[in-house]
Amino acid sequence: MKTAVASRQARPSRTDKNGRLSHAGKKIWRSRYLYLLLLPTFVWYIVFMYAPLYGAQIAFRDFMPALGITGGKWVGFKYFIQFFKSEYFVRLMKNTLGISVYSIVVGFPIPVILALLMNEVRSKHFKKGVQTIVYMPHFISAVVVVSLINAMLSPSNGLFNQIIQMFGGDPVHFMAEPKYFKTVYVLSDIWQTAGYGSIVYLAALTSIDPSLYEAATVDGASKWKKLLHITLPCILPTIMTMLILRMGSIFTVGYEKIMLMYNPATYETADVISTYVYRRAFEGGEYSFSAAVGLFNSVINFIVIIVFNKISKRVSEVSLW
């Protein structure tokens, strides 16, 4: 018996002398097809997320395309300081944060509410029809969405201006007025993304134990009481997780739709960090400066998600890690 135990303890942890796979290796081999399915995602992250980090050093160099990434002179934090001292720094931070906070405050609850409403629909055919309708805008390109916005808000024959004129008002050029830009952007974004965003919450709602509702019904609880004491507490971890992820991109506003919507007249409220970076990089050829601004933006988002994750863990005991 002692000899058998000693022989087992003496075996190598990974492979034995005969080349047979270790226990961990055998488990991996048995699940090889699952790992094979995971491989494309893994490769995608390596190629598009981690490999480009090597090029982030141009934020600290005088980058010249002809010299390559490492060919430019090392200048340290020159471009970061230049951005902080820029006359546009305050405006960019204010606009980016303003649009993001506006989107979170107004837009984040909409998918949750939409999921709760659809969950109460008992007709399967009607529910599927509603889901199809609210999911469709997500698959419309930003170019088409902005074209629809321009048509709806046109001062000459747009639907909203026709309604305003019906009540005796004067036409409003919504797309040329800085004060309307944030509202138009956020509301159109809600219309485009709310339906698709509700899928996560609908999935969370299906995982709630039906016996909880049955017990509440026996106790005489109304639908409102069931919502407050069963439904919302059960999907709270999902809501907080999605909120943490959303807070992690609070200083990131997609430039595609904004660039299609804005114009020099609305730069005052529409110009954000991502559009500024795009102009400086591809219109001005200032790649190092743009890389520095983009890197600063990423670091701020990283700090925000860590802080908010810690706050969420302390307040609601829900966190990403």
Side-chain angles (χ1 to χ4, degrees), residues 83-313:
F83 174 60
F84 298 151
K85 292 183 177 180
S86 170
E87 59 180 321
Y88 301 110
F89 176 75
V90 175
R91 187 182 77 178
L92 293 172
M93 297 295 290
K94 180 181 177 181
N95 290 345
T96 303
L97 190 60
I99 291 176
S100 291
V101 172
Y102 195 171
S103 298
I104 292 172
V105 172
V106 178
F108 185 80
I110 301 300
V112 181
I113 296 171
L114 188 59
L116 293 172
L117 292 175
M118 287 194 290
N119 188 58
E120 294 298 322
V121 177
R122 293 295 171 255
S123 173
K124 292 184 178 180
H125 297 291
F126 180 74
K127 185 175 182 179
K128 288 181 179 180
V130 171
Q131 286 177 315
T132 302
I133 293 172
V134 298
Y135 294 166
M136 284 177 62
H138 175 78
F139 302 98
I140 301 176
S141 69
V143 176
V144 176
V145 171
V146 175
S147 298
L148 291 173
I149 293 172
N150 286 327
M152 296 286 284
L153 300 180
S154 171
S156 57
N157 55 7
L159 175 62
F160 287 93
N161 275 302
Q162 288 183 5
I163 294 173
I164 291 173
Q165 290 176 350
M166 284 176 58
F167 289 94
D170 296 324
V172 179
H173 202 324
F174 292 99
M175 302 303 289
E177 292 285 344
K179 63 181 179 180
Y180 295 122
F181 182 86
K182 287 186 175 70
T183 300
V184 173
Y185 177 88
V186 171
L187 293 182
S188 62
D189 192 62
I190 292 172
W191 171 79
Q192 188 176 11
T193 62
Y196 194 78
S198 66
I199 294 176
V200 176
Y201 305 108
L202 280 171
L205 288 169
T206 59
S207 65
I208 300 176
D209 188 356
S211 63
L212 297 174
Y213 293 107
E214 294 171 2
T217 302
V218 172
D219 291 337
S222 63
K223 284 187 175 294
W224 180 249
K225 293 290 185 180
K226 292 176 185 177
L227 175 66
L228 291 179
H229 299 289
I230 298 176
T231 306
L232 289 178
C234 287
I235 66 172
L236 182 60
T238 303
I239 295 174
M240 292 304 301
T241 299
M242 298 303 294
L243 182 59
I244 293 170
L245 293 174
R246 181 64 184 85
M247 292 297 296
S249 58
I250 192 170
F251 281 94
T252 301
V253 179
Y255 70 92
E256 301 95 341
K257 185 178 175 182
I258 290 184
M259 291 196 68
L260 293 168
M261 288 180 60
Y262 78 169
N263 55 68
T266 58
Y267 278 177
E268 177 186 342
T269 57
D271 197 20
V272 295
I273 294 175
S274 57
T275 55
Y276 182 70
V277 167
Y278 182 90
R279 291 201 310 274
R280 294 293 292 261
F282 297 103
E283 295 180 9
E286 301 175 72
Y287 300 108
S288 293
F289 180 85
S290 301
V293 177
L295 184 58
F296 163 77
N297 192 28
S298 299
V299 171
I300 293 297
N301 283 330
F302 179 69
I303 294 172
V304 169
I305 195 172
I306 289 178
V307 172
F308 195 79
N309 183 76
K310 192 170 183 179
I311 294 173
S312 175
K313 188 174 183 179

Side-chain angles (χ1 to χ4, degrees), residues 12-27:
S13 60
R14 295 185 180 178
T15 59
D16 58 15
K17 294 181 179 180
N18 297 324
R20 289 178 296 179
L21 293 174
S22 65
H23 179 65
K26 289 179 180 178
K27 289 179 66 176

